[in-house]
Amino acid sequence: MLPRISRSRLVKRTAYTTFGLGAAYLADTELNASAVTRNLRTLWTCALISADYKLNFTPDHADRIPAIHQRVADRMYDLFTSNGGLYIKIGQAIGANAALMPAPFQQKFARLFDDAPQIPYPTIARVFQREFNKSPQELFAYFDEKAVASASVAQVHKARTWDGDWVAVKVQKPDVGRQTGYDLMAFRAVMWAFEKWVFDLPVYFAVVDFISTHLRAELDFIAEASNAQRTASLIASEPRLVGKVHIPKVYPEYSTKRVLTAEWIDGVRLSDREALGRVVGEELPEKSGGMFADTAHEKKNGIPESMYHVKLKGGMRAIMHAMVELFSAQMFDWGFVHCDPHPGNIIIRARPGSALSSKSSSTPVLRDPQLVLLDHGLYVTIRPTVKRQYASLWRALLTSDWDTIRNVTESWGVGEAGLFASAVLMRPVKIGRANGSNPLEKAHGDPSKELNAYEQSVRMKERLKRFLVDTDKMPKELIFLGRNMRIVQGNNQSLGSPVNRIKITAYWASRSLVTMHERSSRAWWTRLDAHELWRDVLFRTAMFSLDIVFWVSKIRQRVRALLGLTNGGFEDELERSVRGFARSAFGVEVGPEAFEG
């Protein structure tokens, strides 16, 4: 037995230690927004992941590898949802690039939605006192104390200005600003450790500056207001988009770095499939999982009173055509791209002032649809050289211009042109000549061979290493461009593939190459590049075959619908092709969740 004095000292030390840890935890929670606790949770989770892979990821335990992937996906998902805040944004970024990750990651991160409990009104009032030195009731004629939407970073309240305008007031949650620096620091450390010690893959290069900088910028509402105003100005100068797309008006006098006030918009969320189908008069295909899932978290706003007796002309096709044209213009003309166009950030409404037609009071009024784009916090600016290369790559991929493909991919430090091309178009691309030889990549092993889980992972790791040959050359803008393209593809697929997304995007890419100096004040005929104009003619000829494929798919889709069979569209066929391509080329099973955007 311990001496009496030793037991007494032990009890005291235990009490002091417990008290000290409790005080430290309380101080961290109240004064530091739980930053230390969150970092410890992050480091502990990543230590478990590292140990799991190091100990169990071996050829002798190939049958256990699916279970390892499931455990790791569960741990990462639990970490992101427990920490919340910026971790949700990081998790969504991973989910948008999960197509070639193991199936458990695809399934888990497709369900990582950005919603959170709203913070109480007294906390919101303190934010207003700090930002405006006024309460919400003093600043606005009316302010709803209950938020209409709440995410991990901010929540939105409905208000009315003293001039009578209804507005949406986005208020940043106070803890987020205090947590951001710690969160990014921990994330950098974890990614560095994963690259150097665990996976031996070039994952750190994309995080260090580019992603971190853009995630920080997303928390600056002054920058978000500037992005919205710039996009509105660009749309106003583009005749093909005027009236079809609207950016809510920003109220600078009611906005600060942590509070953003913009025009209130009544309409139907793109994520509300039932309401959207009613206002366009179309039945949407059944869809389970992904961005449009009818899950418990879904915010069902329904149809606003102003649209009760309205039917939108052009249906889903008009809506998706405007969406694809908008983001094509951003990528290829403006070089200023909204990187988070998920369905919750898009509202569909009747275009104000559009022509009306109704035979009777019981007949719905026909109105032109208008797409309203929200949440302008995450934008990326594409350098002119990269923008031109990206447009050239799109056109080259559709016209089998191998020399251009090789020049662009090599200049970007990409070693797997076929894999990269498939990611760009979101359809399988096999780079090679008519005789079957491949000037850009050589086969490594037998892709048709049945692989176990360990061999699949090793092959994918080797392909990714060959894919990212020189990470210093890789334009970091491509990280967010890929995210944008996947979400738009998912939107089109979920609405039944009403438009030929690839054709519309490719036409914008080709048109942007015809003019040498974009948005010049000179007359258009003085800005034409004869060489690019001729290549554009060849491109348009090549696109005819793609259009035939699309319309054959539409006919097949309608016939299957009449027969009561699964009503899959063009994007669904492309998805199946990509999944088959990944299985045959890499030995990897890509789940349907990877294509949900």
Side-chain angles (χ1 to χ4, degrees):
M1 294 180 61
L2 290 173
R4 183 183 184 89
I5 187 170
S6 297
R7 289 200 301 268
S8 177
R9 287 178 179 175
L10 181 61
V11 170
K12 287 183 179 180
R13 288 174 181 174
T14 302
Y16 291 152
T17 301
T18 303
F19 177 79
L21 290 175
Y25 176 79
L26 184 62
D28 180 49
T29 302
E30 297 298 324
L31 304 177
N32 211 26
S34 300
V36 175
T37 304
R38 290 153 56 86
N39 280 358
L40 290 175
R41 185 184 296 127
T42 299
L43 296 175
W44 174 247
T45 300
C46 293
L48 289 176
I49 291 172
S50 301
D52 204 351
Y53 272 122
K54 284 292 186 182
L55 295 174
N56 298 313
F57 188 79
T58 64
D60 297 333
H61 298 134
D63 58 323
R64 303 180 187 177
I65 290 176
I68 297 174
H69 292 326
Q70 186 65 60
R71 287 197 301 271
V72 171
D74 290 341
R75 286 168 178 158
M76 291 181 65
Y77 182 87
D78 292 342
L79 171 66
F80 292 151
T81 53
S82 296
N83 279 358
L86 204 61
Y87 276 77
I88 298 295
K89 300 291 184 182
I90 294 170
Q92 289 174 331
I94 293 174
N97 294 277
L100 294 178
M101 296 177 72
F105 291 87
Q106 300 168 22
Q107 296 161 3
K108 274 288 184 180
F109 287 94
R111 296 192 294 269
L112 190 63
F113 296 98
D114 191 4
D115 59 352
Q118 62 175 283
I119 58 177
Y121 174 73
T123 304
I124 292 295
R126 286 196 293 271
V127 173
F128 273 82
Q129 285 291 343
R130 186 165 57 248
E131 297 296 312
F132 298 101
N133 200 28
K134 292 181 179 180
S135 70
Q137 282 74 18
E138 291 174 311
L139 194 64
F140 295 102
Y142 168 81
F143 185 89
D144 191 343
E145 296 184 4
K146 183 178 180 181
V148 295
S150 179
S152 56
V153 168
Q155 61 188 45
V156 177
H157 294 256
K158 188 173 184 180
R160 188 176 68 244
T161 68
W162 292 102
D163 292 331
D165 297 338
W166 286 102
V167 292
V169 185
K170 182 178 178 180
V171 186
Q172 188 176 123
K173 296 181 177 179
D175 288 349
V176 173
R178 289 181 285 173
Q179 294 167 346
T180 299
Y182 294 99
D183 290 349
L184 291 178
M185 180 176 64
F187 190 56
R188 287 171 179 241
V190 167
M191 296 302 286
W192 184 87
F194 279 176
E195 175 176 319
K196 301 299 181 182
W197 295 343
V198 183
F199 300 117
D200 189 28
L201 282 173
V203 294
Y204 183 65
F205 84 99
V207 177
V208 176
D209 294 315
F210 196 76
I211 291 181
S212 297
T213 298
H214 281 79
L215 289 176
R216 282 184 182 275
E218 196 171 359
L219 302 180
D220 184 350
F221 290 174
I222 294 296
E224 180 173 345
S226 176
N227 292 339
Q229 291 168 325
R230 180 179 175 184
T231 301
S233 176
L234 290 168
I235 290 172
S237 66
E238 175 51 71
R240 288 167 288 187
L241 295 175
V242 171
K244 296 179 181 179
V245 180
H246 178 72
I247 306 299
K249 172 188 172 183
V250 173
Y251 289 76
E253 66 273 28
Y254 297 108
S255 300
T256 69
K257 189 174 182 178
R258 294 178 178 82
V259 177
L260 176 63
T261 302
E263 172 187 8
W264 179 270
I265 300 293
D266 277 323
V268 177
R269 296 268 179 177
L270 195 69
S271 55
D272 193 341
R273 290 164 49 79
E274 182 181 350
L276 189 61
R278 291 205 301 270
V279 297
V280 301
E282 295 180 16
E283 184 176 349
L284 291 174
E286 294 183 5
K287 194 72 175 178
S288 61
M291 295 182 297
F292 288 88
D294 293 329
T295 54
H297 77 88
E298 192 78 25
K299 307 295 189 301
K300 294 294 184 183
N301 295 323
I303 302 175
E305 186 176 353
S306 60
M307 296 180 65
Y308 278 174
H309 304 292
V310 169
K311 181 178 179 180
L312 299 179
K313 295 192 292 185
M316 297 300 179
R317 186 178 183 278
I319 291 169
M320 274 309 307
H321 196 277
M323 186 188 303
V324 177
E325 286 211 304
L326 168 63
F327 294 114
S328 297
Q330 291 186 351
M331 287 186 290
F332 301 120
D333 278 5
W334 309 336
F336 188 62
V337 184
H338 185 294
C339 299
D340 200 16
H342 67 78
N345 282 341
I346 296 172
I347 290 177
I348 306 302
R349 69 171 182 176
R351 186 195 305 183
S354 59
L356 309 179
S357 61
S358 179
K359 295 180 180 179
S360 67
S361 58
S362 61
T363 303
V365 177
L366 289 178
R367 303 281 297 273
D368 292 321
Q370 187 177 70
L371 185 151
V372 181
L373 183 62
L374 309 177
D375 197 353
H376 299 270
L378 185 58
Y379 270 75
V380 63
T381 300
I382 310 174
R383 290 166 290 169
T385 301
V386 175
K387 182 176 64 173
R388 187 175 183 85
Q389 288 174 323
Y390 193 60
S392 298
L393 181 65
W394 259 86
R395 188 173 64 183
L397 288 170
L398 293 169
T399 56
S400 301
D401 183 353
W402 313 123
D403 290 335
T404 298
I405 296 171
R406 181 180 62 249
N407 292 337
V408 172
T409 53
E410 286 182 354
S411 70
W412 287 352
V414 175
E416 291 278 356
L419 174 60
F420 184 78
S422 300
V424 169
L425 290 183
M426 289 299 293
R427 76 170 191 179
V429 175
K430 294 183 179 180
I431 306 297
R433 300 188 187 277
N435 61 9
S437 63
N438 191 331
L440 301 179
E441 56 182 351
K442 297 181 180 180
H444 294 266
D446 181 7
S448 62
K449 177 185 175 183
E450 191 70 25
L451 304 177
N452 62 36
Y454 179 81
E455 291 169 333
Q456 287 182 15
S457 300
V458 170
R459 172 177 285 184
M460 177 52 56
K461 182 176 177 179
E462 291 175 352
R463 293 299 294 265
L464 288 175
K465 281 188 173 181
R466 293 199 303 273
F467 174 71
L468 297 172
V469 174
D470 189 343
T471 56
D472 290 334
K473 290 183 179 180
M474 174 72 77
K476 306 306 184 291
E477 299 97 310
L478 298 178
I479 299 167
F480 288 112
L481 279 179
R483 172 184 171 85
N484 177 288
M485 292 293 295
R486 276 185 288 279
I487 295 177
V488 172
Q489 184 269 343
N491 291 343
N492 191 38
Q493 179 180 358
S494 295
L495 296 184
S497 307
V499 300
N500 189 338
R501 171 186 55 86
I502 295 177
K503 175 187 174 182
I504 298 170
T505 306
Y507 268 128
W508 276 84
S510 184
R511 279 194 297 260
S512 73
L513 293 169
V514 173
T515 54
M516 296 175 57
H517 305 290
E518 300 171 49
R519 305 199 173 276
S520 167
S521 58
R522 294 182 293 147
W524 67 269
W525 57 84
T526 68
R527 294 185 279 120
L528 293 181
D529 182 323
H531 178 64
E532 291 291 358
L533 183 59
W534 171 243
R535 296 181 72 174
D536 186 62
V537 171
L538 295 177
F539 165 81
R540 290 171 182 269
T541 303
M543 290 293 288
F544 181 70
S545 61
L546 178 62
D547 222 17
I548 292 176
V549 172
F550 175 78
W551 285 109
V552 168
S553 173
K554 294 296 290 184
I555 293 172
R556 187 186 303 117
Q557 181 182 3
R558 292 191 179 186
V559 171
R560 291 178 66 85
L562 290 173
L563 296 176
L565 301 175
T566 303
N567 196 14
F570 187 56
E571 297 286 6
D572 296 280
E573 294 181 12
L574 291 180
E575 176 193 315
R576 287 191 289 270
S577 298
V578 171
R579 293 169 65 187
F581 174 72
R583 186 185 306 111
S584 62
F586 311 131
V588 174
E589 285 291 341
V590 178
E593 296 86 358
F595 299 89
E596 296 293 347

